[in-house]
Amino acid sequence: MVSLTPHPLAVPALGPRRAYRRSNDDRAAASVYLAPAFALVAIFICLPIALTLWMSLNEVDQFGRFGGFVGLGHYLALFSDPQFIAAAWRTVIWTVSIVAATTVIALFLAVVLQQKFRGRALVRGLLLLPWATGLVIVSLLWRWMAHPDFGAIGHVVNAVGLPTLRVEWLGNPALAFPLMIWVGIWASIPFTTLVLAAGIQSIDTDLYEAATLDGASQWRLFRDITLPQLRPVLAVSILLNVIFVFNSFPIIWVMTEGGPAGATDTLITFLYRKGFRFYDMGAASATSVVVFAILLGFAILHTRIMWRNVLR
């Protein structure tokens, strides 16, 4: 005989009205729970962005008082300023050089660190030192090493047999910027290496075993398996490095403050000097909007690549 008593764990079917009411209740509860987060985003992110945009369209003195609407005047003056144009080109060189060199070196190190050799754990630990130290301290150390009288760089140059010269590493425009690019590369390698090493470890080892049985060389393994499988991780690491390096401030400011004579200025240091040295808040706000627009483009590109990898 079939029992007509409902199972105690059975979920009763909801009618259309009850389902609609429950859906509205869930949305209302979600809105209540998310309201504090939305309020924080609006106060600490959206409001400063809107205020900076409004400041870029007005004359603003050093105390933040508005003096009158100028429209796109600050932007027109900015794009006709040779120092801004030079800083923009220098930012491109700074970003492309550091990201390209970092990616190549980090990819090599990530592949090497997958091999088994004596002292691998020590090498991995030493690799984290530049990342764990902090950019300000790293910049101070390199500024000390570049001192023309007692810096370590000069001693190394003399130790390898080159002529004993007093070189102004940070006072010479032809030497200061390449040196800071090297510091940026040195500081960016640990993060990129860790990301790429994690990506390599996620590759199925059966692919390598099958290719090895077919007689593939190490170069063929790297070219035909590692690189194609690592492409999504490589794209994400490159985009993150572009955002971080483009927006980097401590290395240049601590080592040279954009000098000598603006030879190491990037958009970020140019912006800081406009706002907090010359108190030209309108021009500084316009520069901030330009930098924000560029970084927003990189962020959108990064998000699209992330979603594309998730949906695969």
Side-chain angles (χ1 to χ4, degrees), residues 39-77:
L40 291 175
V41 170
I43 294 173
F44 294 104
I45 297 179
C46 297
L47 183 60
I49 292 174
L51 182 59
T52 302
L53 181 60
W54 181 244
M55 290 175 64
S56 70
L57 302 175
N58 290 269
E59 286 290 350
V60 185
D61 63 13
Q62 65 186 46
F63 301 107
R65 295 176 298 197
F66 289 84
F69 184 77
V70 296
L72 298 178
H74 290 306
Y75 294 95
L76 296 176

Side-chain angles (χ1 to χ4, degrees), residues 36-229:
F38 285 138
L40 291 175
V41 170
I43 294 173
F44 294 104
I45 297 179
C46 297
L47 183 60
I49 292 174
L51 182 59
T52 302
L53 181 60
W54 181 244
M55 290 175 64
S56 70
L57 302 175
N58 290 269
E59 286 290 350
V60 185
D61 63 13
Q62 65 186 46
F63 301 107
R65 295 176 298 197
F66 289 84
F69 184 77
V70 296
L72 298 178
H74 290 306
Y75 294 95
L76 296 176
L78 202 62
F79 285 102
S80 61
D81 186 356
Q83 293 183 354
F84 174 81
I85 302 299
W89 279 113
R90 203 173 293 113
T91 304
V92 173
I93 297 172
W94 163 264
T95 304
V96 172
S97 301
I98 293 178
V99 173
T102 298
T103 302
V104 173
I105 297 173
L107 182 59
F108 171 77
L109 292 175
V111 173
V112 170
L113 289 177
Q114 302 306 311
Q115 312 300 319
K116 294 182 179 180
F117 58 89
R118 182 175 297 178
R120 184 175 65 168
L122 177 62
V123 173
R124 287 180 173 178
L126 293 176
L127 189 64
L128 293 176
L129 282 179
W131 190 30
T133 304
L135 284 180
V136 174
I137 298 176
V138 166
S139 304
L140 288 172
L141 289 174
W142 278 96
R143 190 178 70 176
W144 173 79
M145 287 192 292
H147 194 278
D149 294 323
F150 53 82
I153 297 178
H155 289 294
V156 171
V157 170
N158 297 331
V160 297
L162 295 178
T164 303
L165 298 174
R166 187 182 186 277
V167 180
E168 290 282 353
W169 297 99
L170 298 179
N172 188 336
L175 298 175
F177 197 56
L179 177 60
M180 284 186 292
I181 288 177
W182 162 247
V183 176
I185 295 170
W186 188 77
S188 302
I189 284 175
F191 169 77
T192 310
T193 303
L194 289 177
V195 171
L196 297 181
I200 292 175
Q201 289 180 350
S202 66
I203 299 175
D204 191 357
T205 56
D206 293 339
L207 298 175
Y208 292 105
E209 293 176 0
T212 303
L213 291 176
D214 290 338
S217 62
Q218 291 295 326
W219 168 247
R220 291 290 299 275
L221 291 176
F222 175 77
R223 187 189 66 183
D224 297 336
I225 297 178
T226 303
L227 274 183
Q229 295 292 323

